[in-house]
Amino acid sequence: SHSSRTVRALSAFSLACLFVVVALFTVFTIVDRDIGFHLRTGELIWQSGTIPTTDPFSYVAQGRPWVDSHWLFQLLAYAAYSLGSFAGLVSLRALAVATLVTSLFAACYKRGSLPLTLGLVLIGVVASLERFILRPDLFTIMFLAIFVAGSERLHERPRAWLVALPLLEILWTNTHGLAILGPIYLGLRFAGDLLDFGARRLGLREFDASCTISTLRRRGAVALLCGLAVLANANGIAGILYPFQLFLQLRGE
């Protein structure tokens, strides 16, 4: 009908406006002071074909052990800079933020709730503006948003997410040290669903046909697989333990 076409057109226009706003929020000068360090390390990895294990740059720390937990981000940043200079870096940041926003929208959207979803996503974007700088932690926020979307949509395409999320976890664990947040989130979601399932079986909550043993198995399986994927860290056990060691050092200071 004419009214349904009008609604679809308005919905498409609203989505387009959201992404235009997001694009405007991401197109600004690269100002992070660490970007030169990341680009130089990415160049070193590209030229040597290996991940550095000792500090090759600092005069006072040269030769000391170095766990480069950001090596994949550095390689991506160097590739983007080699292809398009600073415009390439801005494009890489815009791609990461666009993926983040798309994942947030996919996680929140329910049929008939487009205005509310757009509003919530826009609030999230505005609240996160300070983090839209080209650093490895931007990719942690992006991956975490994808994991939230995958968890919310797991029942729609369980096989696809059971493959995609562990593969993304492998990329994540070689991009930023906080990749452990993926399995933690999925594990907490699984524990929550397990408690919910028990409460419904005991009659403490209203029965829900969608809360089944098979759903719990899928959630448990994807959390376990992503936990195992953390082990695929190119720095080995040192790379896996590095975030915890850093946390203890910072807490000590």
Coordinates of all heavy atoms in Angstrom, one line a residue, residues 15 22 31 36 47 59 69 71 83 95 106 108 112 114 157 168 184 234 238-239:
L15 N 17.6 6.0 8.6 CA 18.9 5.2 8.7 C 20.0 5.9 8.0 O 21.1 6.0 8.5 CB 18.7 3.8 8.1 CG 18.0 2.8 9.0 CD1 17.7 1.5 8.2 CD2 18.8 2.5 10.2
V22 N 27.0 10.0 11.7 CA 28.1 9.2 12.2 C 29.4 9.5 11.4 O 30.5 9.7 11.9 CB 27.8 7.7 12.2 CG1 29.1 6.9 12.5 CG2 26.8 7.3 13.2
V31 N 44.7 13.0 15.6 CA 45.3 13.8 16.6 C 46.0 12.9 17.6 O 46.7 13.5 18.5 CB 44.3 14.7 17.3 CG1 43.8 15.8 16.3 CG2 43.2 14.0 17.9
G36 N 52.2 7.8 15.4 CA 53.5 7.6 14.8 C 54.2 6.3 15.2 O 54.8 5.6 14.4
Q47 N 58.1 -5.1 7.1 CA 59.4 -5.3 6.5 C 60.1 -6.6 7.0 O 60.7 -7.3 6.3 CB 60.2 -4.1 6.7 CG 59.7 -2.9 6.0 CD 60.6 -1.6 6.3 OE1 61.4 -1.6 7.2 NE2 60.4 -0.6 5.5
Y59 N 65.6 4.5 23.7 CA 67.0 4.5 24.1 C 67.2 3.9 25.4 O 68.2 3.1 25.7 CB 67.6 6.0 24.1 CG 69.0 6.1 24.6 CD1 70.1 5.6 23.8 CD2 69.2 6.6 25.9 CE1 71.4 5.7 24.3 CE2 70.5 6.7 26.4 CZ 71.6 6.3 25.6 OH 72.8 6.3 26.1
S69 N 50.9 -6.3 22.0 CA 49.6 -6.9 22.0 C 48.7 -6.2 20.9 O 47.6 -6.6 20.7 CB 48.9 -6.8 23.3 OG 48.8 -5.4 23.7
W71 N 49.8 -5.7 17.6 CA 50.5 -5.8 16.3 C 49.6 -5.8 15.1 O 49.9 -5.2 14.1 CB 51.4 -7.0 16.3 CG 50.6 -8.3 16.3 CD1 50.1 -9.1 17.3 CD2 50.2 -9.0 15.1 NE1 49.4 -10.2 16.8 CE2 49.5 -10.2 15.4 CE3 50.5 -8.8 13.7 CZ2 49.0 -11.1 14.5 CZ3 49.9 -9.7 12.8 CH2 49.2 -10.8 13.2
L83 N 48.5 3.2 1.7 CA 47.5 3.3 0.6 C 47.0 4.7 0.4 O 46.8 5.1 -0.7 CB 46.4 2.3 0.8 CG 46.7 0.8 0.7 CD1 45.5 0.0 1.1 CD2 47.2 0.5 -0.7
L95 N 35.6 3.3 9.0 CA 35.1 2.0 8.8 C 34.8 1.3 10.1 O 33.8 0.6 10.3 CB 36.1 1.2 7.9 CG 35.8 -0.3 7.6 CD1 34.5 -0.4 6.8 CD2 36.9 -1.0 6.9
A106 N 21.9 -3.4 15.0 CA 21.5 -4.8 14.8 C 21.1 -5.4 16.2 O 20.2 -6.2 16.3 CB 22.5 -5.6 14.1
C108 N 20.1 -3.8 18.9 CA 18.9 -3.1 19.5 C 17.6 -3.2 18.8 O 16.5 -3.2 19.4 CB 19.2 -1.6 19.8 SG 20.7 -1.3 20.8
G112 N 9.2 -2.6 14.5 CA 8.3 -1.6 15.0 C 9.0 -0.6 15.9 O 8.3 0.2 16.5
L114 N 11.9 1.3 15.3 CA 12.9 2.0 14.6 C 13.2 3.4 15.3 O 14.4 3.7 15.5 CB 12.6 2.2 13.2 CG 13.6 3.0 12.3 CD1 14.9 2.2 12.3 CD2 13.1 3.2 10.9
R157 N 20.6 -17.1 13.3 CA 21.6 -17.8 12.4 C 22.6 -18.4 13.4 O 23.8 -18.0 13.4 CB 22.2 -16.9 11.4 CG 21.2 -16.4 10.4 CD 21.9 -15.6 9.3 NE 21.0 -15.1 8.3 CZ 21.3 -14.4 7.2 NH1 22.6 -14.0 7.1 NH2 20.5 -14.0 6.3
L168 N 36.3 -13.9 14.8 CA 36.5 -12.5 15.1 C 37.3 -12.4 16.4 O 38.1 -11.5 16.6 CB 35.2 -11.8 15.3 CG 34.4 -11.6 14.0 CD1 33.0 -11.1 14.3 CD2 35.1 -10.6 13.1
I184 N 34.2 -13.0 28.2 CA 33.5 -12.6 29.5 C 32.1 -12.2 29.2 O 31.2 -12.6 30.0 CB 34.3 -11.5 30.1 CG1 35.6 -12.0 30.7 CG2 33.5 -10.8 31.3 CD1 36.5 -10.9 31.3
A234 N 49.3 -14.4 18.9 CA 50.6 -14.6 18.2 C 51.7 -14.4 19.2 O 52.9 -14.9 18.9 CB 50.7 -13.6 17.1
A238 N 52.5 -15.1 26.9 CA 52.8 -13.8 27.3 C 51.8 -12.8 26.8 O 51.4 -11.8 27.5 CB 54.2 -13.4 26.8
G239 N 51.3 -13.0 25.6 CA 50.3 -12.1 25.1 C 49.0 -12.2 25.8 O 48.2 -11.3 25.9

